[in-house]
Amino acid sequence: MKIGKTAAHYTVLAVLAAAVLYPLWYALVTSFMTAGELDVYPPRWLPSSIQLDNYREVAALVPIRKFIQNSFIVSLGIMIGQCLISSMAAYAFVFIRFPGRATLFALVLATMMVPWEVTIIPNFLTVRALGWLDSYAGLIVPLLANAFGIFLLRQAFLQLPSELFEAAKIDGCGHIRMFLTLALPLSRPVLATLCVYVFLNAWNQYLWPLLITNDPGMRTVQIGITMLQWEEAQSWNLVLSGVVLVLLPSLLLLVFGLKQLVQGITAGAIKG
């Protein structure tokens, strides 16, 4: 009975894993096929040979390197900014006593209930008034503050031993030194989790870059790949070659950061 239940459990997991991995597998295999192989019926599961010409043609059709560079700069800027702002705000909510601290933290949490799409028009008007359209500042600055990061790091800071900070105060440590030498190093796993989470979200964002960029030289990868589809609507091998190029950085980061991502989110949910 127990063996049958376990087998059914693993069968369901295998089917779900296959459903998740199939689009990635199809995109990778198709990116190596020629246009003629795509028209064969029944469809082939594997290419007859590895065709790297698709990737060369993608690089010739659209400036994919520029798109990847833009996405990397924007994602890195958002990641550094959010981690810095979130960690400083979380430290203040945990270790600095000031009037209205609980109320202010509740207001910060309340912003998590507001969808990004609701604030996108005010943000666009602000960015346009500042002359930040088609610029890295316009792509990065509106996304630097995030309530989720503050909440996650606050939960991590609450789990740090208070005796350690009391001893540091007795030894004459100020808040800046305790923040840099105690809070951040001791919360490194959760901080790494936030970095991975924010980078992946920034890398995959579509609506905001589409709204504030008109210059092809400032497009990010998610917008650039649609340009490829527009130019070669029937060449799915080229389109999926571009998709594979776009997915590679985020997949590599997810593979190497998945353990930290799961551990950090789990640890942050333990203490209220």
Side-chain angles (χ1 to χ4, degrees), residues 153 255 258 271:
L153 288 173
V255 167
L258 183 60
K271 192 166 183 178

Side-chain angles (χ1 to χ4, degrees), residues 3 117 263:
I3 295 176
E117 289 77 9
Q263 286 182 345

Side-chain angles (χ1 to χ4, degrees), residues 28-231:
L28 181 63
V29 170
T30 306
S31 70
F32 293 125
M33 290 184 179
T34 62
E37 288 177 303
L38 285 177
D39 295 332
V40 174
Y41 185 84
R44 293 186 176 179
W45 286 94
L46 293 172
S48 58
S49 61
I50 303 299
Q51 299 288 334
L52 295 179
D53 291 342
N54 292 334
Y55 293 95
R56 297 191 187 97
E57 195 165 347
V58 167
L61 283 172
V62 295
I64 192 73
R65 292 180 183 175
K66 182 64 176 175
F67 297 154
I68 293 176
Q69 176 189 324
N70 289 340
S71 281
F72 187 78
I73 293 173
V74 171
S75 302
L76 192 64
I78 293 173
M79 182 189 74
I80 294 173
Q82 274 202 26
C83 289
L84 184 63
I85 293 173
S86 298
S87 59
M88 289 192 295
Y91 180 90
F93 281 126
V94 174
F95 296 107
I96 299 177
R97 296 186 180 278
F98 56 89
R101 184 175 65 168
T103 304
L104 186 58
F105 181 66
L107 288 175
V108 170
L109 287 186
T111 62
M112 294 174 66
M113 311 301 170
V114 180
W116 162 251
E117 289 77 9
V118 173
T119 62
I120 201 166
I121 297 302
N123 280 331
F124 173 77
L125 295 176
T126 304
V127 166
R128 188 180 63 177
L130 293 171
W132 286 356
L133 296 178
D134 288 321
S135 71
Y136 289 124
L139 288 167
I140 294 174
V141 172
L143 302 172
L144 287 182
N146 184 276
F148 173 75
I150 298 172
F151 170 75
L152 184 67
L153 288 173
R154 176 184 175 272
Q155 301 306 100
F157 290 165
L158 284 174
Q159 299 179 54
L160 300 179
S162 58
E163 296 82 4
L164 187 62
F165 289 85
E166 293 296 333
K169 282 182 183 177
I170 294 172
D171 287 342
C173 274
H175 284 297
I176 294 177
R177 189 174 175 187
M178 286 193 291
F179 173 70
L180 294 176
T181 60
L182 293 179
L184 289 185
L186 292 175
S187 305
R188 194 165 44 199
V190 179
L191 202 57
T193 299
L194 184 62
C195 288
V196 174
Y197 174 79
V198 172
F199 188 92
L200 291 178
N201 270 351
W203 183 274
N204 292 320
Q205 65 173 331
Y206 178 81
L207 184 57
W208 182 246
L210 177 66
L211 190 63
I212 72 160
T213 57
N214 292 313
D215 181 4
M218 288 304 299
R219 295 286 195 185
T220 57
V221 287
Q222 305 300 335
I223 312 300
I225 206 66
T226 60
M227 294 169 60
L228 182 65
Q229 188 178 3
W230 178 260
E231 293 181 23

Side-chain angles (χ1 to χ4, degrees), residues 8-26:
H9 185 197
Y10 279 102
T11 302
V12 172
L13 290 178
V15 171
L16 293 176
V20 171
L21 293 177
Y22 177 73
L24 297 176
W25 168 256
Y26 181 77

